[in-house]
Amino acid sequence: MQADSTPRKTPEDWLIAAEPEKTRGRFKVFLGYAPGVGKTFSMLSEGIRRRQRGEDVVIGVVESHGRKVTAELAARLEHVPTREIDYKGTLFQEMDVDAIIARSPQVVLIDELAHTNIVGSRNAKRYEDVFLILEANIDVLSTINVQHIESLTPRVQSLTGIPVRETVPDWVLDRADEIVISDLTPEALVTRMKRGDIYPVDRAERALANFFRRGNLIALREMALHRVTRAVDRTLDNYVKRKQLGPHWSVSEKVAVCISSRPQARDLIARGARLAEGLGGELYVLHVQSEKDESADCKRNLEASIKFAENLGAHIIHLAPGKHIASATAAFITEHRITQAMFGRSALHGLRKYLYFLAIQRFLSEAPHVDLHIINQEIH
C-alpha cells in the first residue's frame, strides 16, 4: 500500500481555511489628542512591522511636517506617487486614489484622515477616499486628532479658543475596525515641544502659550481616552452579541432608570443622571407601556419626564409590557448589559406592597447581574 505523500494540514491551516473570505479592507485608526503625540510614528512603525512579516505595504500619503524621525521611517516604505492638480494656477499634490487601487497592495498608510482635498480631486474629503480603498479590499491605517471629530469640535474650540476647520463625522470612526490611542502625558508632550521635536522652537513658544497649555492638553487627552473607551465598548458589544455571552460582560457602566407616568419620575431621572455622571457611564430611561398611561394627566406627566430625560442626553426606551412588566424590564437590561438599575418606591401598604416586592423579586431572578437601587419617593 502506497503511503499518502500529501502533507497534513496543521490546526492553523484549518483555521485559515475556515475563515470567511475577506471582501473588504480592515480600517485601523491611530487617534491622538494633539499634534506630536506620535500617531504618524505609530502608524509607520506598524506598517514597517507588517512589511517585515511579508505583507505588501505602501504609503498613500504621509505628512512629516519637517520631523526628521517621521521622514526617516516613511523612507523605508514604498510610496504610491501623488496626483498633481492645478487649481487657479497653482499646483497641488493630492493622494492618488486610483493609483493605489490599481497598485492593489495589502495595506496602505493614509495620514490625516480629516484632510480636505483640493477642488478637482475625486472626492471632497480624504475619508471618502479611504472608504473607496476599503471597498477595494485593501487594509487602511490612518491617523486623526480628537479635535477633528465632528461632535467634539465645538467643545475643543470653546476650550482652546482656536477654530477647527477640518472635521470628520462621528460615523466614520464608528466604522473603524480598530481604534488605537497614541498616548503621551501632557508633561512629556510639552518637553517634546520645548526641544523643537514638534515645531521649530520659535513657533513652539507660541503654541505652548495657546493650544498646548497644560489645562488644554489634560482636557483633550481625557476626550481622546473617552472616545477610545466608547470604541472598545462597542467592539465588546458586537462580540458579546455574536458569541451570545452573558450580561456580566461589560466595560462601561450603564444606568437604567425605570419610570412610570407619575410626576415623581423626573426626580428619579435626575438621580439616575447624577449616578451615571459620577460613574462616567451612559444613562437609559425605560418606560413600560401601561393602560394607566392613557389619562390626560398621565400623558402630560410622561411627556414632561421624557423631555427632561432627553435634555439630559438619556437613551429613551419604550417597552411593550408583555405578560409581566418586571420580565420586560429584565429582558432589556440583560440584553443590553445594563450595570445599574433604578426603581422608585412610594409608600405602599397592604396588597400593593406585596405585589411591588413580588415584581422586584421576579426582576432580580431574571436579571441577577445588575446592581439594583430602590429609591423611596414622596407622593406629591
Side-chain angles (χ1 to χ4, degrees):
M1 184 175 177
Q2 187 175 359
D4 185 2
S5 61
T6 305
R8 292 178 177 271
K9 284 188 176 182
T10 65
E12 289 76 14
D13 292 332
W14 285 110
L15 282 172
I16 292 169
E19 287 181 353
E21 185 179 353
K22 181 168 165 272
T23 58
R24 179 185 176 275
R26 284 186 56 80
F27 184 24
K28 183 171 183 176
V29 176
F30 292 86
L31 174 67
Y33 68 89
V37 295
K39 304 177 305 299
T40 304
F41 181 91
S42 297
M43 179 183 70
L44 286 165
S45 297
E46 175 161 336
I48 290 168
R49 287 194 301 272
R50 292 174 71 161
R51 177 71 183 86
Q52 291 170 341
R53 293 198 299 262
E55 294 183 59
D56 183 11
V57 181
V58 302
I59 289 176
V61 63
V62 161
E63 304 289 349
S64 68
H65 298 289
R67 295 165 195 160
K68 183 181 177 183
V69 174
T70 302
E72 288 173 351
L73 284 178
R76 296 171 61 181
L77 292 169
E78 175 189 342
H79 290 244
V80 175
T82 54
R83 179 185 173 201
E84 198 171 72
I85 299 175
D86 186 329
Y87 179 64
K88 295 184 177 179
T90 303
L91 293 177
F92 293 87
Q93 301 293 325
E94 288 286 9
M95 183 177 72
D96 194 332
V97 181
D98 295 320
I100 292 170
I101 294 173
R103 168 66 176 73
S104 191
Q106 290 174 282
V107 186
V108 61
L109 279 54
I110 299 175
D111 209 5
E112 298 190 355
L113 188 62
H115 173 77
T116 300
N117 295 333
I118 199 67
V119 175
S121 301
R122 180 166 179 176
N123 294 299
K125 298 289 292 187
R126 183 167 287 168
Y127 69 79
E128 295 174 306
D129 296 337
V130 164
F131 284 112
L132 280 178
I133 293 167
L134 291 169
E135 289 300 320
N137 204 10
I138 300 169
D139 292 352
V140 174
L141 308 183
S142 192
T143 65
I144 189 172
N145 275 331
V146 72
Q147 67 263 31
H148 297 293
I149 300 173
E150 196 168 60
S151 65
L152 298 178
T153 297
R155 288 175 59 193
V156 174
Q157 290 184 160
S158 175
L159 176 74
T160 65
I162 297 172
V164 179
R165 295 183 178 84
E166 296 184 310
T167 62
V168 167
D170 288 54
W171 62 261
V172 172
L173 270 74
D174 289 340
R175 291 193 187 179
D177 298 288
E178 189 177 355
I179 298 178
V180 178
I181 189 164
S182 296
D183 196 24
L184 194 66
T185 65
E187 292 77 12
L189 183 58
V190 168
T191 299
R192 291 194 67 198
M193 178 69 75
K194 289 178 178 177
R195 286 202 307 255
D197 294 345
I198 301 170
Y199 300 135
V201 175
D202 58 338
R203 187 180 169 193
E205 290 299 325
R206 293 196 302 273
L208 287 168
N210 294 286
F211 187 89
F212 283 79
R213 291 197 301 270
R214 187 170 183 274
N216 288 354
L217 297 178
I218 293 170
L220 290 166
R221 188 186 188 205
E222 183 180 357
M223 289 183 207
L225 290 168
H226 186 269
R227 193 62 178 72
V228 171
T229 300
R230 171 180 155 182
V232 169
D233 199 38
R234 189 181 69 250
T235 302
L236 181 60
D237 275 337
N238 294 336
Y239 178 80
V240 167
K241 289 175 184 176
R242 192 170 66 250
K243 298 293 185 180
Q244 298 182 337
L245 301 177
H248 55 286
W249 283 74
S250 187
V251 172
S252 63
E253 295 282 352
K254 297 179 181 179
V255 178
V257 179
C258 307
I259 67 168
S260 68
S261 54
R262 292 175 177 270
Q264 297 96 324
R266 274 163 283 180
D267 295 335
L268 197 63
I269 292 167
R271 188 153 182 169
R274 290 195 296 272
L275 177 61
E277 183 178 6
L279 295 172
E282 295 179 80
L283 177 63
Y284 291 75
V285 171
L286 313 185
H287 173 253
V288 181
Q289 297 164 12
S290 167
E291 293 179 358
K292 297 177 183 178
D293 302 331
E294 296 302 315
S295 72
D297 283 346
C298 286
K299 284 183 178 179
R300 279 195 299 271
N301 289 335
L302 185 59
E303 287 172 2
S305 296
I306 294 300
K307 182 65 177 175
F308 179 65
E310 288 174 343
N311 290 339
L312 292 174
H315 303 279
I316 311 299
I317 309 295
H318 295 282
L319 300 173
K323 189 174 180 181
H324 297 286
I325 290 177
S327 294
T329 306
F332 177 87
I333 279 174
T334 300
E335 179 184 355
H336 294 271
R337 298 182 296 113
I338 302 297
T339 58
Q340 312 279 335
M342 188 174 289
F343 290 89
R345 176 178 179 268
S346 302
L348 301 174
H349 302 282
L351 180 61
R352 291 182 64 192
K353 180 178 181 179
Y354 171 77
L355 292 174
Y356 177 84
F357 284 111
L358 194 65
I360 291 294
Q361 185 61 41
R362 177 185 290 274
F363 172 82
L364 286 172
S365 67
E366 297 181 18
H369 294 97
V370 71
D371 292 340
L372 180 61
H373 304 257
I374 298 178
I375 310 301
N376 284 319
Q377 295 180 300
E378 296 282 341
I379 297 179
H380 301 312

